[in-house]
């Protein structure tokens, strides 16, 4: 970058090589996972030879023992003189991994990173540990409120950290501030100033915090243009041209992939400069338009594209539907429209021919759900193009003369809809018209829509147990209105048994439990068939009748009386008592770093959400679903990278740690100035000798003071992106984002629990890999209301009140579902012997006792605990 060097500022810039980072280099990740450290060392050597003056090393990966991997790799590069001559930046979200690295580096290391996200106390504690190893520290512009995104916040946080660190003994020259480089040109107005705010903040931070350094990860800046390397290189070079003179003296940069500022095409340079300096209202649109001419091509892909693009238009449409390719679907649909007398014939002809192939492949097990959803996206975009032409002909609908029409809804009080959306997409792929009413839909709206649309069937979905009662209500109202419309029941909390025992008796019309999306097509197709409808209804009714009679004949597992169960409680061991918390009370986290959560994701449930059976990572090599799982995983990783780089979502949380004491099966908690009663349920199924009837209260000290915790986490900010996918008729990305957000929420709960165990409560000193965390190889549990050990969802309002009302800015619906939908809440128990269990079925004696402890009528408690009474 000639001009920068002429000014002298560029000569002081330090390149930090980023390719020895498992989150930034797929090659390095694969080498370390395979234990090929010889080749991994060569990655470091290449970085140094290409101009890296510091090597950033990150081995935070779910399948690794990260402490061991960090130790082995750093010892290997220390033995290579041409690599060991440059400093090492030890990069991890876990202190145990950082410390493992600090113990085996020579020279002056750099720790990446520490921040004030947990408050000043933990921040200074980590800084002292780094100082004891002689390490410099990267300080993220991050405090208790969240990540700094404006110039003002960046400066305020860095100045506050500077004053704290220098007063505590850290030399100013050992402080490297990272004021956060975020993606620009995303199309979101709030992101327009991200680059210029960094540059302006760098100037002010250097003025207010003399002696310090400014760094940043450059790749985030251009993430909107991933796959277009000429534009990304130009954006990076233009950014550094302005940021270096402003005070940015180091950064995570691939020095071999930077263009000389003066050598950048003048038109592209100006467009990049407009975006980075926010000089025009239409800067983003202009750069996006210009970027197309710089996009590279792949010869093999071009050849493959040319082959199918030369097919007749009908075959092209079929190919695009089966392969899920939407790049040319509008052009091809328009070409087909010109060949048919009426636009509806395009849908009923080539488009439905293609979707029939998709349906056949899915039905025969040769195509899997993620591929089907991609096909549906292509179909919907084709139909969306044709609808205006169909409306011109005054057609009633843009859909085909389909097999049938179904009204679907998530019932009142429930907010989860991933499974419902998937079922809807699969049904549409098989010729059904789906009217999706969304979430939290009251029975009146469901039945009104079914009547208005002359629906052939109604589908109800729900995730939380209170939704089961709501489904019974809908069925009862259908009976009162003397309807005959088939009622389909689905969702994670539903079952064939509950449908037979509770919902089916409430409605004389057909009621059918649908296990998953793969079964929905067969059920719906039978219900609109002249020959298959009655046999399906009769067989289902007979199955449900047999199930009910079987329950009556066989009874259920024998229950102990409540007194007997309490006498057989889990024995409390005083030696396992967790010590008092280091930081009691409430703690709020406003914007947890997303990159910390990525490495702790448990991917197995992600694949199950898409109805792909198998455990990660073995599922990627599965002979049946491996290809589909691998493609889905690739799409998920790309979206996750974009989500992080462009800050689509904001993770927020609240943690509480309180004094408590036990009173029978209740725990009394001193949250604030008052004692709050938490009544828990006890197992009553009779156990064989030596097996206790457990209750969560058993893990609390019965003879004195103890401690308990609670938490709530939420992933906020999905709505504008889901709306964008809706506008572009993109079910696939809609479902993918929701599934990723759910994984991030669970990961956040896991990461936060580790922070509690090791820091806030501080009863543990762990060095666990992510695989060990997923297998819960730690002391303590975090049972959530609504789950087996604590099945009553109605405890959530009590927990939320203890946490200040809106923990992590999460709220509750009338039926105790959490908003946003990607949220987790629960309790923390720290005793050494804690374990998860299921309360299962309870007796009427415990129901009455529980109602008295909750101070509610028995009828109210029965509604809360109905699944445990069946």
């Amino acid at each position: 970058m000639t001009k920068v060097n002429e000014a002298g500022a560029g000569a002081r810039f330090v390149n930090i090589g980023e390719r020895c980072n498992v989150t930034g280099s797929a090659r390095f990740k694969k080498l370390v996972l395979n234990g090929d450290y010889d080749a991994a060392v060569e990655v470091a050597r290449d970085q140094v030879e290409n101009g890296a003056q510091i090597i950033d090393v990150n081995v935070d990966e779910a399948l690794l023992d990260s402490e061991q991997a960090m130790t082995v790799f750093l010892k290997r590069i220390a033995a290579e003189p041409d690599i060991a001559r440059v400093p090492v930046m030890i990069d991890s979200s876990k202190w145990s991994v950082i410390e493992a690295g600090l113990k085996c580096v020579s020279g002056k290391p750099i720790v990446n990173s520490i921040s004030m996200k947990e408050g000043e106390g933990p921040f200074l504690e980590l800084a002292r540990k780094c100082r004891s190893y002689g390490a410099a520290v990267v300080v993220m512009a991050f405090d208790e409120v969240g990540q700094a995104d404006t110039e003002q916040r960046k400066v305020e946080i860095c100045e506050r950290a500077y004053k704290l660190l220098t007063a505590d003994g850290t030399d100013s020259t050992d402080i490297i501030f990272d004021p956060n480089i975020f993606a620009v040109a995303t199309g979101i107005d709030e992101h327009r100033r991200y680059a210029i705010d960094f540059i302006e903040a760098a100037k002010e931070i250097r003025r207010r915090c003399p002696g310090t350094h400014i760094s940043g990860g450059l790749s985030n800046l251009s993430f909107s243009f991933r796959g277009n390397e000429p534009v990304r290189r130009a954006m990076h070079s233009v950014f550094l041209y302005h940021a270096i003179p402003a005070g940015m003296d180091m950064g995570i940069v691939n020095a071999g992939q930077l263009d000389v500022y003066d050598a950048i095409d003048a038109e592209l340079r100006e467009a990049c400069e407009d975006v980075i300096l926010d000089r025009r209202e239409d800067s983003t649109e202009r750069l996006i338009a210009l970027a197309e001419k710089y996009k590279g091509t792949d010869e093999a892909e071009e050849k493959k594209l040319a082959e199918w693009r030369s097919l007749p238009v009908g075959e092209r449409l079929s190919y695009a539907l089966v392969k899920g390719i939407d790049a040319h679907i509008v052009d091809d649909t328009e070409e087909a429209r010109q060949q048919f007398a009426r636009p509806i014939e395009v849908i009923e002809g080539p488009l439905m021919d293609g979707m029939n192939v998709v349906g056949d492949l899915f039905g025969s097990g040769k195509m899997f759900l993620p591929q089907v959803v991609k096909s549906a996206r292509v179909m919907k975009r084709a139909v969306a193009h044709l609808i205006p032409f169909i409306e011109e002909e005054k057609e009633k609908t843009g859909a085909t003369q389909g097999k049938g029409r179904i009204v679907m809804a998530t019932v009142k009080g429930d907010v989860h809809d991933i499974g419902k959306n998937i079922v809807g997409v699969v049904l549409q792929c098989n010729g059904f018209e789906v009217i999706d009413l969304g979430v939290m839909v009251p029975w009146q709206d469901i039945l009104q829509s079914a009547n208005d649309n002359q629906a052939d069937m109604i589908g109800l979905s729900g995730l939380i147990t209170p939704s089961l009662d709501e489904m019974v209500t809908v069925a009862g109202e259908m009976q009162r209105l003397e309807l005959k419309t088939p009622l389909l029941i689905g969702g994670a909390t539903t079952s064939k048994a509950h449908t037979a025992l509770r919902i089916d008796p409430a409605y004389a019309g057909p009621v059918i439990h649908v296990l998953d999306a793969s079964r929905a097509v067969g059920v719906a197709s039978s219900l609109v068939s002249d020959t298959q409808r009655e046999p399906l209804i009769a067989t289902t009714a007979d199955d449900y009748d047999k199930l009910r009679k079987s329950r009556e004949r066989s009874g259920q597992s024998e229950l102990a009386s409540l007194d007997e169960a309490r006498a057989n409680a889990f024995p409390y061991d005083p030696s396992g008592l967790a010590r008092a918390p280091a930081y009691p009370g409430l703690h709020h986290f406003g914007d947890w770093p997303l990159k910390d959560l990525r490495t702790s994701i448990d991917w197995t449930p992600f694949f199950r959400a898409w109805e792909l059976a198998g455990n990660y990572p073995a599922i990627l090599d599965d002979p049946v679903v491996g290809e589909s799982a691998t493609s889905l995983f690739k799409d998920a990783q790309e979206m996750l990278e974009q989500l992080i780089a462009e800050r689509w979502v904001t993770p927020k949380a609240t943690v509480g740690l309180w004094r408590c004491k036990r009173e029978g099966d209740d725990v009394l908690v001193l949250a604030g100035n008052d004692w709050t009663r938490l009544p828990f349920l006890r197992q009553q199924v009779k156990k064989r000798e030596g097996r206790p009837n457990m209750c969560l209260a058993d893990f609390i000290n019965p003879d004195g003071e103890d401690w308990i915790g609670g938490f709530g986490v939420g992933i906020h900010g999905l709505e504008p992106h889901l709306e964008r996918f809706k506008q572009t008729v993109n079910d696939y990305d809609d479902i993918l984002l929701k599934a990723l957000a759910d994984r991030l929420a669970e990961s956040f709960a896991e990461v936060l629990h580790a922070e509690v165990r090791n820091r806030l409560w501080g009863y543990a000193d762990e060095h666990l890999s992510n695989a060990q965390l997923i297998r819960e190889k730690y002391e303590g549990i975090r049972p959530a209301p609504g789950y087996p050990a604590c099945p009553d969802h109605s405890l959530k309002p009590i927990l939320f009140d203890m946490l200040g009302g809106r923990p992590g800015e999460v709220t509750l619906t009338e039926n105790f579902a959490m908003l946003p939908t990607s949220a987790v809440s629960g309790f923390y128990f720290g005793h050494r012997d804690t374990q998860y269990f299921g309360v299962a079925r309870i007796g009427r004696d415990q129901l009455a006792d529980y109602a008295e402890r909750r101070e509610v009528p028995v009828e109210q408690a029965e509604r809360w605990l109905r699944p445990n009474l069946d």
Side-chain angles (χ1 to χ4, degrees):
M1 294 183 294
T2 308
K3 289 189 178 180
V4 173
N5 285 335
E6 285 174 1
R12 298 192 299 272
F13 186 79
V14 176
N15 290 321
I16 304 171
E18 64 175 343
R19 307 315 295 172
C20 294
N21 185 324
V22 295
T23 64
S25 168
R27 178 175 175 238
F28 183 75
K29 175 180 176 179
K30 183 177 181 180
L31 294 173
V32 176
L33 282 172
N34 292 336
D36 189 355
Y37 286 99
D38 289 337
V41 167
E42 291 308 309
V43 174
R45 194 187 315 279
D46 289 344
Q47 289 281 276
V48 175
E49 289 176 355
N50 283 326
Q53 294 151 297
I54 296 173
I55 295 292
D56 179 86
V57 179
N58 183 309
V59 289
D60 284 356
E61 157 59 39
L63 301 177
L64 280 174
D65 180 339
S66 297
E67 289 87 352
Q68 181 190 32
M70 181 68 79
T71 301
V72 171
F73 183 70
L74 291 183
K75 286 183 177 179
R76 293 293 297 271
I77 63 175
E80 304 289 334
D82 51 342
I83 304 175
R85 64 185 174 84
V86 301
V88 171
M89 178 178 282
I90 303 168
D91 186 350
S92 177
S93 59
K94 301 174 185 175
W95 173 254
S96 60
V97 179
I98 290 173
E99 190 164 37
L102 289 172
K103 290 176 180 177
C104 54
V105 292
S106 57
K108 189 176 188 68
I110 303 169
V111 168
N112 186 13
S113 60
I114 66 173
S115 76
M116 293 185 291
K117 69 183 180 188
E118 296 174 33
E120 295 180 357
F123 172 64
L124 290 174
E125 182 184 334
L126 282 179
R128 290 175 196 129
K129 289 180 179 179
C130 294
R131 202 160 63 235
S132 70
Y133 284 98
V137 289
V138 175
V139 178
M140 299 297 296
F142 201 118
D143 64 6
E144 303 89 338
V145 176
Q147 269 183 299
D149 52 2
T150 65
E151 176 188 352
Q152 179 184 359
R153 285 267 295 146
K154 293 175 194 288
V155 174
E156 285 177 356
I157 293 174
C158 291
E159 184 177 28
R160 177 185 167 202
Y162 174 80
K163 290 177 178 177
L164 287 169
L165 289 172
T166 52
D168 194 56
T170 298
D171 193 293
S172 63
T173 59
D174 284 341
I175 301 172
I176 304 165
F177 286 117
D178 185 337
N180 306 320
I181 298 176
F182 296 129
V184 292
T186 65
I188 298 173
D189 200 56
E190 290 82 358
H191 298 178
R192 281 177 45 178
R193 286 194 54 84
Y194 277 167
I196 188 64
D197 274 354
F198 180 98
I199 292 167
E200 295 299 328
K203 290 180 187 175
E204 191 62 17
I205 292 167
R206 291 297 291 264
R207 186 183 71 79
R208 297 192 191 188
C209 309
T212 59
H213 306 276
I214 304 285
S215 181
L218 201 58
S219 60
N220 278 356
L221 178 82
S222 62
F223 201 83
S224 296
F225 296 92
R226 64 198 182 285
N228 193 331
E229 288 308 309
V231 172
R232 297 194 76 176
R233 288 199 308 269
M235 290 180 71
H236 296 168
S237 297
V238 169
F239 178 81
L240 290 177
Y241 178 79
H242 293 281
I244 290 174
M248 182 179 178
D249 54 353
M250 58 177 65
I252 298 178
V253 179
N254 190 334
Q257 292 185 356
L258 286 175
D259 293 333
V260 176
Y261 178 85
D262 288 338
I264 300 170
D265 179 82
E267 185 182 22
L268 177 59
R269 186 175 65 218
E270 181 183 11
C272 291
E273 213 139 38
D274 286 342
V275 164
I276 287 164
L277 301 180
D278 191 27
R279 296 193 302 203
R280 298 171 56 120
E281 287 294 321
D282 61 347
S283 295
T284 294
E285 291 77 8
R286 292 178 72 248
L287 183 56
I288 289 171
L290 183 62
E292 285 302 310
K293 67 186 264 191
Y294 293 94
K295 221 169 196 175
T297 58
D298 181 291
E299 289 185 15
E301 285 299 315
E302 286 291 309
K303 182 179 178 182
K304 189 175 179 182
L305 178 65
E307 289 174 357
W308 80 269
R309 295 303 300 154
S310 63
L311 296 171
V313 67
E315 294 180 44
R316 293 204 302 272
L317 288 172
S318 180
Y319 184 92
L321 287 164
V322 173
K323 296 296 184 182
I325 302 170
D326 62 358
H328 310 275
I329 193 63
V330 172
D331 292 339
D332 287 349
T333 302
E334 175 60 20
E335 183 179 336
R337 186 183 73 83
Q338 301 287 348
Q339 296 179 10
F340 286 84
R342 301 172 61 214
I344 191 70
E345 294 175 12
V346 181
I347 299 177
E348 295 175 341
L351 287 174
M352 280 313 299
D353 288 344
M355 290 312 292
N356 286 336
V357 174
V358 171
D360 291 343
L361 290 171
F362 181 60
S364 63
K366 295 176 182 177
M367 195 171 186
F368 300 98
L369 194 57
Q371 297 160 300
V372 173
V373 177
K374 284 185 178 179
S375 298
R377 173 177 61 184
V378 179
M379 179 68 171
K380 286 187 173 184
R381 288 182 176 172
V383 171
H385 174 72
L386 293 169
I387 283 176
F389 300 102
I390 293 172
E391 288 176 344
E392 285 180 15
E393 291 188 336
K394 298 182 180 179
E395 293 281 345
K396 292 182 180 179
T397 175
T400 68
Q401 301 296 318
K403 294 181 180 177
R405 185 175 295 144
I406 178 170
V407 167
M408 298 177 63
T410 299
V411 296
K412 185 178 75 170
D414 202 328
V415 296
H416 295 83
D417 66 351
I418 291 181
K420 172 176 63 67
N421 290 357
I422 288 174
V423 170
V425 167
V426 172
L427 287 171
Q428 286 172 318
C429 288
N430 285 270
F432 288 87
E433 182 184 351
V434 176
I435 298 157
D436 189 339
L437 302 181
V439 300
M440 295 197 293
V441 187
W443 66 263
Q444 296 93 332
D445 293 353
I446 296 171
L447 301 189
Q448 184 67 51
S449 178
N451 180 67
D452 293 347
N453 291 284
Q454 298 181 307
D456 296 292
M457 62 201 85
I458 295 171
L460 303 181
S461 176
L463 180 72
I464 57 175
T465 49
S467 298
L468 298 176
D469 274 353
E470 190 60 34
M471 291 177 179
V472 175
T473 299
V474 177
E477 292 299 325
M478 292 175 72
Q479 178 64 24
R480 185 179 63 82
L481 295 171
E482 299 182 351
L483 301 182
K484 301 297 181 185
T485 310
L487 178 62
L488 308 186
I489 303 296
T493 195
T494 64
S495 67
K496 181 178 178 180
H498 182 271
T499 303
L501 293 170
R502 297 292 180 187
I503 304 176
D504 186 56
Y507 178 47
V511 180
I512 301 175
H513 179 254
V514 182
L515 187 62
D516 55 36
S518 64
R519 310 287 175 46
V521 175
V523 171
S525 297
S526 296
L527 288 173
V528 296
S529 165
D530 292 337
T531 58
Q532 297 175 7
R533 175 187 169 91
E534 293 309 319
L536 172 66
I537 292 172
T539 301
T540 303
D542 186 51
D543 285 347
Y544 290 170
D545 188 52
K546 287 178 180 177
L547 194 154
R548 287 189 289 266
K549 288 177 179 176
S550 173
R551 284 290 184 102
E552 290 172 6
R553 285 196 308 271
S554 64
Q556 294 174 300
S557 51
E558 187 180 358
L559 295 183
S561 70
L562 182 56
D563 288 340
E564 290 171 335
R566 284 172 172 166
N568 189 41
F570 183 84
Y572 182 84
D573 182 354
S575 68
L577 177 70
R579 70 177 181 84
Y583 302 98
L586 291 181
H587 306 271
H588 301 283
F589 304 94
D591 187 358
W592 197 281
L594 285 165
K595 70 173 187 177
D596 286 6
L597 307 184
R598 179 177 186 171
T599 57
S600 299
I601 289 176
D602 180 2
W603 286 102
T604 297
F606 170 81
F607 291 106
R608 289 178 183 163
W610 288 89
E611 297 185 10
L612 295 176
N615 293 324
Y616 174 79
I619 192 173
L620 301 179
D621 298 315
D622 185 274
V624 178
V625 301
E627 182 179 352
S628 182
T630 299
S631 176
L632 174 65
F633 190 60
K634 178 176 178 290
D635 292 341
Q637 293 298 316
E638 289 178 356
M639 180 176 281
L640 194 55
E641 287 179 12
Q642 186 173 10
L643 180 153
I644 293 170
E646 298 180 3
R647 302 181 72 221
W648 285 7
V649 297
T650 303
K652 299 182 180 182
T654 300
V655 167
L657 296 169
W658 311 285
R659 296 178 188 274
C660 69
K661 57 186 178 182
R662 179 177 171 182
E663 190 175 278
D665 288 350
D666 297 347
V667 178
L668 300 181
V669 183
L670 186 60
N673 298 319
D674 300 315
W675 290 94
T676 298
R677 182 177 297 274
L678 289 174
F680 292 113
L681 293 166
R682 182 173 296 281
Q683 294 174 321
Q684 276 190 265
V685 174
K686 282 197 171 181
K687 303 294 187 76
R688 67 175 184 267
E689 189 173 349
R691 299 293 296 274
N693 290 85
M694 302 178 76
C695 172
L696 286 173
D698 292 346
F699 303 131
I700 299 297
N701 185 1
D703 300 319
E705 185 180 273
D706 205 339
W707 292 83
I708 195 171
F711 72 96
V713 306
I715 305 296
H716 298 265
L718 263 65
E719 291 75 15
H721 305 286
L722 296 177
E723 181 60 28
R724 175 160 50 90
F725 296 145
K726 181 180 179 181
Q727 295 300 323
T728 55
V729 198
N730 191 343
D731 288 311
Y732 181 74
D733 282 353
D734 177 279
I735 295 168
L736 186 61
L737 178 56
K738 289 174 181 174
L740 283 175
D742 284 352
R743 289 298 89 218
L744 287 170
E746 293 291 346
S747 174
F748 194 6
E750 192 70 84
V751 168
L752 196 64
H753 193 191
E755 289 291 319
V756 168
R757 295 191 305 272
N758 290 279
R759 299 177 63 78
L760 296 179
W761 195 331
Y763 64 78
D765 183 18
E766 300 166 351
H767 302 278
L768 302 176
S769 68
N770 192 53
Q772 290 172 311
L773 287 175
I774 290 171
R775 294 196 301 271
E776 297 165 359
K777 300 296 184 182
Y778 48 76
E779 290 182 2
I781 57 174
R782 49 180 176 91
Y787 282 76
C790 182
D792 184 4
H793 282 273
S794 75
L795 288 182
K796 285 179 194 167
I798 300 174
L799 170 63
F800 276 43
D801 285 346
M802 291 163 54
L803 289 166
R806 289 167 53 96
E809 296 189 20
V810 176
T811 59
L812 295 173
T813 70
E814 60 193 291
N815 282 350
F816 317 120
M818 291 179 286
L819 286 170
T821 55
S822 297
V824 184
S825 63
F827 302 102
Y828 291 133
F829 289 78
H831 191 281
R832 181 193 58 211
D833 297 334
T834 52
Q835 56 189 278
Y836 291 104
F837 60 90
V839 168
R841 196 164 61 93
I842 63 171
R844 305 295 301 189
D845 55 348
Q846 184 165 193
L847 174 67
D849 180 84
Y850 188 75
E852 184 178 347
R853 290 150 57 201
R854 290 294 304 271
E855 299 180 347
V856 298
V858 171
E859 294 76 18
Q860 178 66 66
E862 188 170 5
R863 284 194 293 273
W864 289 339
L865 302 177
R866 193 180 305 283
N868 297 87
L869 295 167
D870 287 337

